[in-house]
Amino acid sequence: MSFETLGLSSPLLRALADLGYTQPTEIQQQAIPHVLEGRDVLAGAQTGTGKTAAFALPLLQRLAAGTPAQSKRPRALVLTPTRELAAQVQESVREYGKQLRIRSTTVFGGVGMMPQVEALRRGVDILVATPGRLIDHLGQGTIDLSQVEVLVLDEADRMLDMGFLPAIRRILAKLPTKRQSLLFSATFAEPIRELAQQFLNDPVEIQVETRNSTVAMIEHVVYPVESARKRDLLLHVLSEDSRRQTLVFSRTKHGADRLVRQLEAAGHRAAAIHGNKSQGARTKALGDFKSGRITTLVATDIAARGIDIDQLPTVINFDLPMVAEDYVHRIGRTGRNGSTGHAISLVSQDEAGQLRDIHRLIGREIPQQTVPGFEPAQALRLGGPLPRPAGSARPQQRRGSSGRPGGGRPGGGRPGSGGTAKPSSPSASQPRRAQGGERAR
Ligand code: AMP
């Protein structure tokens, strides 16, 4: 199959020839005709599959046929999780569209606002943006999304991992309902399905072979425990394999510091990162953790943003976050680059409400396992059955999910019905994956 047979126009074909692209990739073959037709698309494809061209080429063709954008009113919006991806996508848009009169720009944080305001004022057809900075522009009235004809959510799963769901909702509320929407994601876990159900209109579903090297398995488990015994349980879990790199989340800065003192007193090499630490101290702690000089890093949610450590096997939630989205963000730190990650949460009865919120957000219950010697006086009570997310079916039964164990309620597991676990030996417990394994990035 060639790019010509996909129905692309000659200015685009010339640009592709200049770039040396001879054959469309699988995602391009599957997606381009549908996008050109104006259909909504839900596409399972990762970086490296050629997904950017799969949406950028038909997008450029569609926009080239219409009238140029007015001041502050982009005609297409591409949302990406990171600045780097936004810059990369816009660079591709620029290259593919170099024979067309289509203007594009990026909007992301960490750089000055004014050049972005100026570019938006002059008028751009395609805006590539990260959610946070785009919301800033919306707040300041420097952008108007009412003329957006096409929306692309790129690496949507990563955006959810990074806690952008509320921001995405706010942005989507500003878009016209009559539009074309395209959602690209490496995985089709339940939150992505929900997003697609809410924001796509009768989408065509496409799934191309994923490269397993970048898709990881995260095993989630809850250890019920009395709150007064959490510290001992943490020490117990860590002592099972003191060489393993573990990121521990604490809700408060004070709690993080106290934990580090206790860990050090017990002979662990640990450090804390949180908002009261200087940038120098944070950089040092992170460097020491990455080099293996310390094995346990205790972090608060804010300080952990942006921590990207390959092969981080274990995340332990010493306390559950107040905001459920932060759970997803926390566990997004593990199980990267094809490795299996373990997300262990130490949960006391006073956190039952937070655990319920997390279950609601991720669309399933995390299996519970009691640790011998740390059983709470009473089984963890979550207060009633977990409502299934609206309109959801069991993910295993959905088409296009490539048979991955995408979640669902763990094998009839009711709160308190989980097995008994040896703590911190999750790698030895393969059956647990069948219960609670979830593919995530
Ligand atoms: P992406 O998955 O969009 O990040 O693309 C991965 C890389 O593949 C990028 O460097 C693209 O320039 C390149 N690429 C995309 N489509 C093609 C194609 N049809 N032929 C050759 N290279 C491509």
Side-chain angles (χ1 to χ4, degrees):
M1 187 180 283
S2 68
F3 281 108
E4 283 85 352
T5 54
L6 293 177
L8 293 173
S9 62
S10 23
L12 291 172
L13 294 174
R14 284 199 299 275
L16 292 175
D18 286 352
L19 287 168
Y21 292 12
T22 50
Q23 287 268 318
T25 65
E26 195 189 340
I27 184 72
Q28 291 161 7
Q29 290 178 28
Q30 291 197 41
I32 289 174
H34 293 301
V35 183
L36 283 177
E37 248 176 62
R39 293 285 306 270
D40 281 8
V41 171
L42 171 61
Q46 313 192 339
T47 299
T49 55
K51 67 179 170 63
T52 313
F55 65 76
L57 292 168
L59 177 62
L60 283 160
Q61 182 150 326
R62 171 178 173 158
L63 296 181
T67 44
Q70 300 162 356
S71 172
K72 302 202 286 187
R73 295 182 173 81
R75 300 160 64 205
L77 173 63
V78 183
L79 282 181
T80 69
T82 64
R83 299 165 191 180
E84 293 74 22
L85 184 61
Q88 205 178 304
V89 167
Q90 195 239 345
E91 178 58 24
S92 300
V93 163
R94 222 182 42 75
E95 282 180 16
Y96 303 146
K98 67 180 180 185
Q99 310 266 354
L100 300 168
R101 295 173 69 84
I102 294 286
R103 289 164 300 172
S104 60
T105 197
T106 50
V107 150
F108 49 69
V111 294
M113 196 87 175
M114 277 325 283
Q116 298 174 355
V117 171
E118 256 315 294
L120 292 169
R121 198 190 52 73
R122 286 195 299 271
V124 290
D125 299 289
I126 301 179
L127 177 66
V128 188
T130 53
R133 178 57 70 91
L134 181 57
I135 285 192
D136 293 344
H137 280 282
L138 282 168
Q140 297 191 13
T142 46
I143 191 166
D144 172 350
L145 297 177
S146 65
Q147 305 294 312
V148 170
E149 300 164 39
V150 186
L151 165 75
V152 183
L153 295 177
D154 194 13
E155 301 201 359
D157 52 342
R158 217 166 140 206
M159 286 200 268
L160 298 195
D161 269 3
M162 292 173 74
F164 282 138
L165 185 60
I168 291 173
R169 286 190 197 284
R170 280 175 66 187
I171 292 164
L172 297 194
K174 303 280 184 202
L175 299 179
T177 44
K178 190 174 169 303
R179 59 164 197 262
Q180 182 178 17
S181 304
L182 316 172
L183 189 155
F184 284 75
S185 177
T187 63
F188 283 164
E190 196 57 37
I192 292 291
R193 293 271 175 195
E194 279 178 45
L195 197 65
Q197 260 167 17
Q198 284 172 30
F199 298 109
L200 303 186
N201 178 23
D202 187 23
V204 179
E205 194 170 312
I206 296 169
Q207 173 95 53
V208 298
E209 265 313 296
T210 49
R211 293 178 314 160
N212 282 332
S213 60
T214 53
V215 177
M217 201 62 136
I218 298 179
E219 294 173 6
H220 307 242
V221 65
V222 161
Y223 291 162
V225 62
E226 299 288 346
S227 74
R229 300 220 56 211
K230 278 192 175 187
R231 188 197 60 180
D232 291 340
L233 178 55
L234 176 68
L235 288 171
H236 184 71
V237 171
L238 291 176
S239 65
E240 290 277 302
D241 183 356
S242 58
R243 288 156 308 164
R244 190 171 54 192
Q245 298 293 102
T246 304
L247 181 59
V248 177
F249 279 96
S250 157
R251 210 159 43 211
T252 64
K253 300 169 202 172
H254 183 62
D257 282 336
R258 194 174 49 217
L259 264 184
V260 166
R261 284 196 301 274
Q262 291 166 341
L263 290 171
E264 283 178 337
H268 290 276
R269 286 170 293 139
I273 53 168
H274 55 63
N276 285 358
K277 299 266 178 188
S278 67
Q279 190 55 46
R282 285 200 241 178
T283 308
K284 179 171 185 314
L286 199 54
D288 285 351
F289 189 55
K290 284 186 175 180
S291 69
R293 210 166 303 143
I294 59 168
T295 50
T296 308
L297 187 65
V298 184
T300 55
D301 287 290
I302 302 290
R305 302 264 146 150
I307 293 183
D308 190 357
I309 303 161
D310 284 347
Q311 312 296 327
L312 177 63
T314 307
V315 166
I316 299 179
N317 294 309
F318 184 79
D319 346 81
L320 289 181
M322 295 309 289
V323 181
E325 275 87 6
D326 282 340
Y327 176 84
V328 183
H329 182 72
R330 288 178 177 188
I331 61 134
R333 312 293 98 209
T334 183
R336 294 181 168 215
N337 287 351
S339 57
T340 300
H342 302 286
I344 299 170
S345 300
L346 314 187
V347 181
S348 50
Q349 183 59 46
D350 55 308
E351 295 170 302
Q354 287 141 264
L355 186 57
R356 273 179 68 81
D357 288 348
I358 291 166
H359 287 168
R360 238 182 245 124
L361 181 73
I362 66 175
R364 65 189 185 83
E365 286 181 26
I366 301 170
Q368 293 181 27
Q369 308 209 346
T370 47
V371 179
F374 293 91
E375 301 88 347
Q378 291 195 319
L380 199 53
R381 296 176 307 282
L382 299 188
L386 173 71
R388 292 200 70 76
S392 68
R394 285 179 188 277
Q396 296 93 315
Q397 295 168 351
R398 289 165 191 270
R399 83 192 152 96
S401 62
S402 70
R404 57 172 68 130
R409 230 185 271 212
R414 288 173 46 77
S417 69
T420 297
K422 256 176 81 96
S424 175
S425 53
S427 54
S429 62
Q430 287 305 318
R432 207 184 287 169
R433 176 178 299 180
Q435 277 194 313
E438 177 191 33
R439 276 183 193 256
R441 284 176 56 109

